[in-house]
Amino acid sequence: MKAKSPVRPSLPLMAYLLLAILLATVPAVCLLSVVDSAAVRQELEANAEASRNQTESAIVLAVNLVNAGLKLFDKTLDHEMEEAFIPVLAEYERAGRDPEEMDLDRVRERLGDGMDVYIINESGVIEYTSYPPDLGLDFRQIPDFYDRVTEIRLGDSFAADRAVYGIASGELRKYAYMPSPDHRYLFELGLAGSEFQEYRTALKYREAVRNLVDKNPDVVEIRIFDSLGEMIVGEAHPDDDRRLEMVSRAYREKAVVEAENATAGELVRYVFVDMADADYASDMSLVVELTYTTQRAEAELAGIFNRHASVLLIAFFCIGSLSALAAHHLTRPIRILVEDVDAVARGDLERPIRVSGGEEFMHLAESVRRVVGSLKGTIQMIRESEEAIVRHSRLLEEQVRERTAALEASNRAATLYLDIMGHDINNANNVANLYADLLQAELEGGPEAELLGKARKGLTKSIEIVHDVNTIQQVQGGVPSLRPIDLDAVIRAEIERSPAPITYAGTTASVLADDLLSEIFANLIGNAVKHGGPSVEIAVRVAERGEEVEVSVEDTGPGIPDAVKARLFERLVRGTHSTAGTGLGLYICRMLTERYGGKIRAADRMAGRPEEGAAIRFTLRKAGEEGGS
């Protein structure tokens, strides 16, 4: 047996020790760096969030301050517009309270060029007006505004509104409302004078929020939208359809809505500024769109990461250098000890074991010395044992040669005896049997005929024994050479030799066997004739089952007891019948069946009724199409 080569480590101990130190320290350093980076990121994000919240709070406050100034200015026009409803109501009464008969152009001339008249019906639609662009405008499309003007129409007092941009014209106007005496209509006046425009636009949202935005370097752009989604401050964008959806959502939810564009490095927040006033029909609430850049924070994080990476590289270099020096110092005694042990392993048992280092290495060196001393003694014992083994081996070889020669001589003698029995004794038996036949014919009818018959039976049994021994010798003679055999021809040949009638339906199967296959049928049919009596009925049945053929030899004789079936095919086992044979026939059947790759067993011809006859069943392998096994 080939000895296994010793397993050697792929790296020296120093490398493993250095690796262990690095594995213990590097993860800790990396963890600290990761934790610090995460803390810095969290702090930057918190600062950015606080800056955004501060900017947005300031913007909301500034917008509300501007709106308060605009509201004060709008109120200065309320008295003027309330007095302007006097000629409108007078014209309504003159027309018999029929708006269609009212002369709105004459009323507009009395009021001045900067003021227009609107008549809103019960459905919230501008049915008549001196300003054609707003004719047919349906306020039901603005549910909150429609509810408010309906409430005013059903009331009894004047109501002023804020200055807002017209839905159709986009022109800034100051509106006021007065219900008709019969509450069927709501009269509306719209003031759009140039002087009014000049004074009101002195207060602007853009200037109010610009200074606040400039203080936050993360703000890229600011835009302001009114409650109808119209942009009042800022420039248009190609994706305004999507942005207006976010504006509507912020107005609808009355909260801050944000959308991040990681690709562009931007964060867009939509801040709702609630300026609704129950005293006015128009909702002056705004949505401020603020676009922040996230690239500055990312750049700052990248710088921090680069600094951390530089520190880590320096730390790794320092740790690696110190670890290498420590590992080299710690492993020096081991390296010296390994050199000495390697020299001993190569056969230098006189090599001194050098010792350096701590107490543990002293103990280890002493243990190695004891091992070397024990190894010397063991080697001496092995040498002495080898000499004894060599002497004993030579003696065994001589004994084996002597016993092999004796065994070969015995085999030759056994073969000679078997050949003599198979040839010479068998010839003598045949000659004696021939003379016994002639003598029986001479003595037939006399008292000597019975004695001669008994002698013939003994002579016949001797012939059978010699035949069985010859068959066993052929079976055990070597590796079988199997070939396709026509099973039907073998069965019919044995049936022709049988003195008893045999039922057989025939078969077309071809099986793997040799010339000894006929011995199975000769023994089985012979046993059936011998044990079945003069009136025995014998049947041979063949059934193909997949890759095998099952053959059954059945008879109507006395059957086989269950106690005998299990041992029936063993050597020298005989049946319980008075005509039991040598005990070799069924043993030969088993040997041949196994030789052909099959199995044999004893059964009842009728299941569960052994007294109604026996059935010997065995299997054979089918021959392939190529004629080989």
Side-chain angles (χ1 to χ4, degrees):
M1 181 178 178
K2 185 178 179 180
K4 294 183 178 179
S5 60
V7 178
R8 299 185 65 85
S10 58
L11 294 174
L13 177 61
M14 177 179 171
Y16 286 112
L17 185 59
L18 177 61
L19 182 61
I21 295 174
L22 291 176
L23 289 177
T25 56
V26 169
V29 175
C30 292
L31 180 60
L32 290 175
S33 178
V34 169
V35 171
D36 185 58
S37 298
V40 171
R41 174 181 284 274
Q42 186 175 4
E43 182 179 359
L44 286 175
E45 291 177 351
N47 290 340
E49 180 68 21
S51 177
R52 288 194 293 267
N53 291 337
Q54 183 178 2
T55 299
E56 292 164 6
S57 299
I59 288 174
V60 171
L61 179 60
V63 169
N64 276 297
L65 288 175
V66 172
N67 182 63
L70 294 176
K71 183 189 295 186
L72 290 174
F73 176 77
D74 291 344
K75 282 187 176 182
T76 61
L77 302 174
D78 291 350
H79 180 69
E80 176 186 351
M81 298 192 74
E82 184 174 6
E83 290 181 348
F85 276 107
I86 296 174
V88 175
L89 293 174
E91 179 63 21
Y92 182 67
E93 294 295 340
R94 186 200 65 77
R97 296 188 176 183
D98 184 0
E100 189 174 1
E101 298 297 328
M102 293 177 64
D103 189 350
L104 297 182
D105 291 334
R106 184 164 61 86
V107 174
R108 186 173 186 279
E109 290 177 0
R110 290 185 61 186
L111 296 177
D113 293 337
M115 194 172 293
D116 286 295
V117 182
Y118 305 85
I119 301 176
I120 304 171
N121 62 22
E122 296 176 342
S123 300
V125 178
I126 298 179
E127 190 172 353
Y128 306 97
T129 180
S130 62
Y131 185 70
D134 284 344
L135 183 64
L137 186 64
D138 189 353
F139 291 123
R140 287 177 298 182
Q141 297 177 357
I142 312 174
D144 293 339
F145 185 78
Y146 171 71
D147 293 340
R148 177 61 178 150
V149 296
T150 301
E151 180 183 351
I152 296 172
R153 179 177 58 81
L154 298 177
D156 296 317
S157 61
F158 163 82
D161 201 350
R162 298 290 305 276
V164 297
Y165 289 94
I167 297 176
S169 64
E171 183 181 13
L172 185 65
R173 288 173 176 264
K174 163 73 175 178
Y175 293 98
Y177 308 93
M178 178 71 75
S180 64
D182 53 6
H183 302 288
R184 292 171 53 206
Y185 297 97
L186 178 65
F187 299 121
E188 179 183 20
L189 294 179
L191 177 62
S194 58
E195 183 179 356
F196 158 66
Q197 295 269 7
E198 180 180 354
Y199 284 117
R200 195 178 190 282
T201 53
L203 293 171
K204 295 184 179 179
Y205 293 114
R206 181 188 297 274
E207 284 72 15
V209 300
R210 176 53 60 189
N211 293 332
L212 298 173
V213 169
D214 292 341
K215 294 179 181 180
N216 190 337
D218 290 337
V219 178
V220 177
E221 184 184 19
I222 181 170
R223 300 198 300 172
I224 303 176
F225 299 85
D226 63 14
S227 60
L228 298 178
E230 296 293 332
M231 183 175 63
I232 59 177
V233 173
E235 298 179 358
H237 284 281
D239 60 343
D240 270 345
D241 290 341
R242 179 182 60 83
R243 293 179 179 239
L244 286 176
E245 291 179 3
M246 301 297 291
V247 170
S248 300
R249 178 182 168 191
Y251 184 82
R252 184 172 61 254
E253 297 178 3
K254 301 186 184 306
V256 178
V257 178
E258 67 177 35
E260 185 174 4
N261 186 350
T263 304
E266 292 181 348
L267 176 66
V268 184
R269 290 169 62 92
Y270 298 87
V271 182
F272 173 74
V273 183
D274 188 4
M275 295 190 294
D277 193 335
D279 294 335
Y280 298 98
S282 298
D283 186 0
M284 303 302 293
S285 298
L286 302 176
V287 174
V288 180
E289 178 194 74
L290 292 166
T291 302
Y292 299 92
T293 178
T294 59
Q295 294 178 349
R296 190 176 68 86
E298 293 297 331
E300 189 172 351
L301 283 173
I304 294 174
F305 176 79
N306 291 333
R307 290 194 295 273
H308 275 259
S310 301
V311 172
L312 282 177
L313 289 176
I314 296 173
F316 291 161
F317 177 77
C318 295
I319 291 172
S321 301
L322 295 175
S323 300
L325 292 175
H328 184 271
H329 177 72
L330 292 174
T331 57
R332 183 174 180 276
I334 298 176
R335 293 197 304 275
I336 295 174
L337 186 60
V338 168
E339 290 177 2
D340 296 340
V341 172
D342 282 342
V344 172
R346 289 192 297 269
D348 185 7
L349 299 181
E350 303 303 326
R351 174 72 173 261
I353 304 300
R354 293 171 290 174
V355 181
S356 63
E359 182 181 356
E360 293 81 2
F361 293 106
M362 299 288 291
H363 286 300
L364 179 59
E366 184 61 29
S367 298
V368 173
R369 292 192 188 101
R370 288 197 297 269
V371 170
V372 172
S374 176
L375 182 61
K376 291 179 180 178
T378 303
I379 291 174
Q380 182 62 32
M381 292 176 58
I382 290 174
R383 288 174 180 171
E384 295 173 357
S385 298
E386 286 179 349
E387 294 175 358
I389 290 172
V390 170
R391 291 194 299 271
H392 187 64
S393 296
R394 291 173 181 171
L395 178 61
L396 288 177
E397 289 175 358
E398 185 63 28
Q399 291 178 352
V400 168
R401 282 195 296 270
E402 292 175 357
R403 293 181 182 180
T404 300
L407 183 59
E408 290 176 352
S410 298
N411 286 336
R412 287 193 296 271
T415 303
L416 177 61
Y417 297 150
L418 289 173
D419 289 341
I420 292 172
M421 183 179 66
H423 184 269
D424 297 341
I425 295 178
N426 196 41
N427 287 341
N429 284 337
N430 288 332
V431 171
N433 192 36
L434 177 61
Y435 283 114
D437 288 340
L438 296 175
L439 184 58
Q440 188 173 16
E442 294 291 335
L443 299 176
E444 188 173 358
E448 296 85 355
E450 182 179 354
L451 296 175
L452 184 59
K454 293 180 179 180
R456 287 192 62 196
K457 288 182 179 180
L459 193 58
T460 301
K461 183 169 292 188
S462 176
I463 293 172
E464 292 177 356
I465 291 172
V466 172
H467 178 76
D468 290 343
V469 171
N470 285 336
T471 302
I472 293 173
Q473 185 183 12
Q474 293 180 55
V475 173
Q476 295 179 342
V479 179
S481 178
L482 306 183
R483 66 182 190 278
I485 298 293
D486 185 0
L487 182 61
D488 185 74
V490 174
I491 295 174
R492 292 189 184 278
E494 292 303 321
I495 289 175
E496 291 179 0
R497 297 189 187 97
S498 175
I502 297 176
T503 302
Y504 171 62
T507 182
T508 59
S510 179
V511 297
L512 286 174
D514 54 19
D515 293 337
L516 296 176
L517 176 61
S518 59
E519 293 293 333
I520 299 177
F521 292 98
N523 277 298
L524 296 182
I525 292 174
N527 282 346
V529 173
K530 185 186 300 182
H531 302 313
S535 60
V536 67
E537 296 179 4
I538 302 173
V540 178
R541 308 184 193 281
V542 179
E544 298 186 28
R545 305 187 188 282
E547 299 298 320
E548 291 184 335
V549 175
E550 184 180 72
V551 182
S552 178
V553 179
E554 304 173 358
D555 63 69
T556 58
I560 303 171
D562 292 337
V564 179
K565 290 175 182 175
R567 302 183 300 108
L568 190 63
F569 298 97
E570 296 178 6
R571 186 172 58 182
L572 301 180
V573 173
R574 304 181 184 183
T576 57
H577 197 268
S578 60
T579 59
T582 63
L584 294 176
L586 293 179
Y587 173 68
I588 291 172
C589 290
R590 193 196 77 184
M591 291 180 62
L592 289 172
T593 303
E594 293 175 351
R595 175 187 179 93
Y596 302 146
K599 295 181 180 180
I600 189 168
R601 60 188 176 90
D604 300 328
R605 186 178 66 87
M606 303 296 291
R609 290 183 286 181
E611 70 279 358
E612 295 189 13
I616 305 298
R617 298 187 174 95
F618 62 94
T619 60
L620 298 170
R621 289 185 299 160
K622 283 185 180 180
E625 296 180 357
E626 299 159 356
S629 58

